Amino acid sequence: MTALDQLRSAMRRAGVDALWISDPANVRAISGFSSGKDGKVLVTAHGATLYTDARYTVQAAEEATVPQFIARPPETYVHARDAAGGLRVGFEADHLTVALLDDLRDHWPDASLVPVRGLVHGLRVTKTVRELDAIRAAQRIADAAFAQVRPMIRPGVTELDVALELELAMRRAGAQSAFEIIVASGPNGAKPHGVASSRVIGDDELVTVDMGARVDGYHSDMTRTVAVGEPSAELRRLYRAVLEAEQAAVAAVRPGIRAADLDRLARDLLTMHGLGEYFAHSLGHGVGLDVHEAPGLRATSEEVLEPGMVITIEPGVYVPGVGGVRIEDLVLVTETGSEVLSLAEKEQL
């Protein structure tokens, strides 16, 4: 069954006759068009059309697996009106702006516009062999870049210097950075999403590096916390607790386990070490065309892991005024268990 066939089945279950796709990653997933931010797709029971503008005429013809209509709004909406008229048309409620929804209402007065969530995302949760090849390639590049740059993480070097060298190494290998690289040293490590700054790395600190590569639109995601000099006994305690929680959660990954149970496993271990209150985020997330996608490994999740999912396992503790630790692996759920895709070395403190 093709992705379009699967999507049409999901549309029928959602009670819509057509779907207007505006999320860039979903545009790519359904049409193959890699500049999804400048494209939309209308899927009906009998057809699918990619809408983009003349800047992408050649690219759309080369990449798209569905027919294309090259124009800008309002011509886009006028062309789609014949296909959408009189139908229940789903729109991606998590992505479409109010202004663009008003445009659809103005141009498709005979259509019933229905907010939907997750129809395409649900098809992206498990990866094909081709998708896994791209994710593996991205992670290999990230691993190699980290190994290359790790020796420069030392006193006197700025966080920004490290981030720039990591990005340069990945670009030289033919990849792009998956997101803004985090290099958080010393007290900055207490910021889960701190960005690389001009701070100079000092002696006897921990430095958290969160990075990933993007290859053919697919992402990797990995975090390592490294020691500079001789960190204090308290910092080493934090590191060992996070490493224990991370390794235990990775070992528990298998088909059929609830995402919420994995989160609880890691959280309970950190709580046992007196650090539960400092674990400020969920355990992990899916990775693919978006660096954060389904499934969500959080306490409230009802999702169950399936073979072909690619997820992160990333417990962390963040202590204000002291520092922080996060260790993250990229993990493929297999038929019998799991495979860790991120192979960069971890510190043993």
Side-chain angles (χ1 to χ4, degrees):
M1 182 181 290
T2 68
L4 274 173
D5 291 334
Q6 292 177 308
L7 178 57
R8 289 183 178 115
S9 295
M11 288 161 51
R12 287 192 292 271
R13 291 192 296 271
V16 295
D17 308 306
L19 179 64
W20 182 251
I21 301 173
S22 56
D23 182 305
N26 290 343
V27 168
R28 181 166 188 165
I30 294 303
S31 72
F33 181 56
S34 64
S35 292
K37 64 184 177 63
D38 293 305
K40 307 289 186 291
V41 176
L42 179 66
V43 178
T44 66
H46 304 292
T49 302
L50 168 69
Y51 293 94
T52 190
D53 63 68
R55 295 172 296 168
Y56 301 100
T57 301
V58 174
Q59 182 180 340
E62 291 175 346
E63 295 180 343
T65 57
V66 300
Q68 306 103 52
F69 183 78
I70 308 299
R72 290 181 179 271
E75 289 85 1
T76 296
Y77 304 133
V78 172
H79 181 273
R81 183 167 55 204
D82 291 341
L87 301 182
R88 285 175 56 83
V89 181
F91 64 89
E92 295 182 306
D94 293 334
H95 186 267
L96 194 70
T97 66
V98 173
L100 291 177
L101 177 59
D102 286 342
D103 287 344
L104 294 184
R105 286 174 172 150
D106 289 344
H107 288 90
W108 302 346
D110 296 330
S112 298
L113 295 171
V114 181
V116 297
R117 292 177 172 83
L119 292 192
V120 182
H121 287 86
L123 306 181
R124 292 167 43 196
V125 172
T126 58
K127 273 55 179 181
T128 66
V129 172
R130 180 187 63 82
E131 291 176 310
L132 289 175
D133 286 345
I135 294 170
R136 288 179 189 277
Q139 185 56 54
R140 284 195 297 269
I141 288 172
D143 282 339
F146 180 80
Q148 177 182 332
V149 176
R150 170 64 183 93
M152 77 169 289
I153 304 176
R154 61 183 185 271
V157 177
T158 69
E159 296 172 349
L160 188 57
D161 286 338
V162 174
L164 290 173
E165 287 299 321
L166 287 168
E167 181 163 2
L168 183 59
M170 290 189 288
R171 284 192 170 272
R172 283 175 171 160
Q176 295 173 302
S177 183
F179 48 86
E180 186 173 3
I181 296 168
I182 295 172
V183 180
S185 62
N188 283 350
K191 305 171 187 176
H193 284 169
V195 298
S197 73
S198 59
R199 184 183 188 275
V200 176
I201 297 170
D203 290 308
D204 305 330
E205 294 184 341
L206 294 180
V207 182
T208 297
V209 178
D210 190 344
M211 60 179 292
R214 183 169 74 248
V215 172
D216 293 335
Y218 288 86
H219 299 79
S220 68
D221 192 2
M222 172 186 74
T223 305
R224 295 292 185 263
T225 298
V226 302
V228 176
E230 295 293 331
S232 68
E234 176 62 7
L235 288 175
R236 293 198 301 272
R237 184 181 80 87
L238 300 184
Y239 184 91
R240 291 167 182 166
V242 172
L243 181 61
E244 178 185 348
E246 200 267 349
Q247 291 176 331
V250 168
V253 172
R254 64 181 185 277
I257 192 169
R258 295 173 65 245
D261 290 340
L262 284 175
D263 181 276
R264 184 178 302 108
L265 170 64
R267 203 168 298 277
D268 286 350
L269 279 170
L270 290 174
T271 299
M272 182 183 70
H273 286 284
L275 299 170
E277 65 180 296
Y278 301 113
F279 183 11
H281 51 74
S282 62
L283 179 64
H285 52 85
V287 177
L289 283 171
D290 286 320
V291 75
H292 292 87
E293 59 182 46
L297 277 65
R298 62 181 71 89
T300 57
S301 174
E302 297 181 358
E303 295 173 284
V304 175
L305 299 193
E306 301 175 21
M309 290 180 172
V310 177
I311 61 172
T312 66
I313 299 292
E314 50 179 305
V317 295
Y318 312 93
V319 184
V322 175
V325 178
R326 181 163 67 253
I327 303 171
E328 174 186 21
D329 276 316
L330 189 66
V331 182
L332 168 65
V333 184
T334 66
E335 294 288 344
T336 58
S338 67
E339 176 189 352
V340 177
L341 303 181
S342 46
L343 303 179
E345 185 177 356
K346 297 173 187 169
E347 306 271 310
Q348 299 297 322
L349 300 184

